[in-house]
Amino acid sequence: MAHPVSAFQAAYISIEVLIALVSVPGNILVIWAVKMNQALRDATFCFIVSLAVADVAVGALVIPLAIIINIGPQTEFYSCLMVACPVLILTESSILALLAIAVDRYLRVKIPVRYKTVVTPRRAAVAIACCWIVSFLVGLTPMFGWNNLNKMRRTQELNASHTEFVIKCQFETVISMEYMVYFNFFVWVLPPLLLMLLIYLEVFNLIRKQLNKKVSSSSNDPQKYYGKELKIAKSLALVLFLFALSWLPLHVLNCITLFCPSCETPHILTYIAIFLTHGNSAMNPIVYAFRIKKFRTAFLQIWNQYFCCKTNKNASTTTAELGN
């Protein structure tokens, strides 16, 4: 029998729905902009599309599933596990996409002459495919056995290993905190974040060295190239910073839950941490719109061409300007 939704749950659901309504259209707009603008077709923007796909899935899939888990329906154990795993897959996909973006920006400033021969569209596609494969393996690890099934069986004194039993579906009920902390956080979240921090520090260092050669340079082209790279690197580093800021609080709370079982974590902190993780999927299109000129121009073109009923002449003129 379904329990009535409390006022607190209604507020939680409303905020989640609002995040989804911002995240899904915003990230679809990012994918749309890359598809229609030739200037956004290099490897970096392909990785950004992969990140946007994950963010669309957060709004369209993870947030509805999170609402279901918050309500806590009675389900079979593995059904609940299937509801809990998508967020793990998409989190890892976002991290690996951010790592691919960081490596790509490093190669652009480290080997600018050979960059296009090293980072080909085919290799970028293979890298994206590998990121998603790894994400599925990491995110579905609980389905392969690293979960709380045996612990729950011991608790409920069910001796038959094949026995299926109904539980109240909640994330911590089915997902092992040992998996979340030792495997997910310490192996697949924290090290990539630290590696990306080092990569961006090196990117900024390389760009600074190149810009300091201005006096000895007889051409302004290198300065223009590295100046543009600096702006894009700052924007993408901001995306990384916002991701870390959004996800680390929840992982810290997971560490407290595992290492200090007697510690009481206020529920409001947990909800704030969850809102931050989901809200991160809505942040990136805003960063792109305000910080990256190519995206801003493409967004304006889409708005003018498809939502403001501009004439075909104006639309084609805008397209021509984007191609230049």
Side-chain angles (χ1 to χ4, degrees):
M1 182 176 178
H3 297 284
V5 176
S6 67
F8 188 84
Q9 284 180 319
Y12 165 80
I13 292 171
S14 299
I15 295 172
E16 289 282 39
V17 169
L18 180 62
I19 292 172
L21 290 176
V22 175
S23 174
V24 173
N27 285 285
I28 288 176
L29 191 61
V30 170
I31 299 168
W32 193 353
V34 174
K35 183 178 185 298
M36 70 181 299
N37 188 355
Q38 284 292 129
L40 294 172
R41 294 289 179 84
D42 65 16
T44 299
F45 296 107
C46 291
F47 296 130
I48 287 176
V49 166
S50 179
L51 181 60
V53 168
D55 286 338
V56 168
V58 168
L61 177 64
V62 169
I63 287 179
L65 294 179
I67 292 172
I68 291 172
I69 287 179
N70 181 261
I71 295 171
Q74 299 291 321
T75 66
E76 193 271 324
F77 183 89
Y78 276 98
S79 297
C80 183
L81 202 57
M82 289 178 66
V83 172
C85 282
V87 67
L88 303 174
I89 297 169
L90 296 172
T91 304
E92 191 56 39
S93 172
S94 297
I95 292 171
L96 294 179
L98 288 168
L99 180 58
I101 290 169
V103 172
D104 178 72
R105 300 324 293 183
Y106 173 76
L107 293 175
R108 285 186 72 94
V109 298
K110 184 68 175 179
I111 52 169
V113 177
R114 295 191 296 118
Y115 170 78
K116 288 188 177 180
T117 60
V118 172
V119 184
T120 62
R122 180 183 177 86
R123 288 174 179 171
V126 170
I128 291 170
C130 289
C131 288
W132 279 97
I133 290 170
V134 171
S135 300
F136 272 93
L137 292 176
V138 172
L140 292 178
T141 296
M143 294 293 296
F144 303 146
W146 197 345
N147 53 52
N148 286 336
L149 180 60
N150 291 331
K151 184 190 295 185
M152 295 197 66
R153 283 205 172 110
R154 287 195 299 269
T155 302
Q156 299 193 17
E157 298 179 348
L158 295 173
N159 297 321
S161 61
H162 62 276
T163 303
E164 293 185 358
F165 56 94
V166 174
I167 61 168
K168 184 177 181 181
C169 185
Q170 293 180 324
F171 189 84
E172 290 186 19
T173 304
V174 293
I175 300 293
S176 164
M177 274 299 120
E178 286 82 2
Y179 161 82
M180 285 301 300
V181 173
Y182 293 126
F183 186 68
N184 189 278
F185 182 47
F186 287 166
V187 176
W188 291 104
V189 174
L190 193 57
L193 287 178
L194 293 175
L195 179 58
M196 282 183 269
L197 174 62
L198 295 175
I199 290 173
Y200 275 110
L201 288 175
E202 181 61 16
V203 166
F204 290 131
N205 182 50
L206 289 170
I207 292 174
R208 180 183 57 80
K209 287 181 178 178
Q210 292 297 328
L211 291 177
N212 286 341
K213 294 179 180 179
K214 186 174 182 180
V215 177
S216 61
S217 176
S218 59
S219 171
N220 289 326
D221 288 341
Q223 304 307 314
K224 184 178 178 181
Y225 176 84
Y226 286 105
K228 183 179 70 174
E229 286 299 317
L230 179 61
K231 289 180 181 178
I232 295 178
K234 284 181 177 179
S235 301
L236 296 175
L238 176 60
V239 170
L240 172 61
F241 172 76
L242 291 173
F243 182 90
L245 192 68
S246 300
W247 279 96
L248 287 178
L250 186 60
H251 284 289
V252 169
L253 291 177
N254 288 339
C255 290
I256 293 172
T257 300
L258 178 63
F259 298 127
C260 184
S262 61
C263 296
E264 288 290 334
T265 304
H267 286 298
I268 189 65
L269 289 182
T270 303
Y271 278 104
I272 290 172
I274 291 171
F275 288 143
L276 281 173
T277 61
H278 294 166
N280 179 252
S281 63
M283 296 176 189
N284 293 342
I286 299 171
V287 174
Y288 303 150
F290 281 97
R291 304 267 317 175
I292 301 179
K293 185 178 179 181
K294 288 180 180 179
F295 268 117
R296 186 163 60 249
T297 307
F299 291 163
L300 287 173
Q301 181 200 1
I302 291 171
W303 176 258
N304 291 333
Q305 187 170 343
Y306 295 97
F307 299 101
C308 282
C309 300
K310 295 287 184 182
T311 63
N312 289 334
K313 181 179 179 181
N314 289 341
S316 60
T317 301
T318 310
T319 304
E321 290 173 354
L322 275 170
N324 293 334

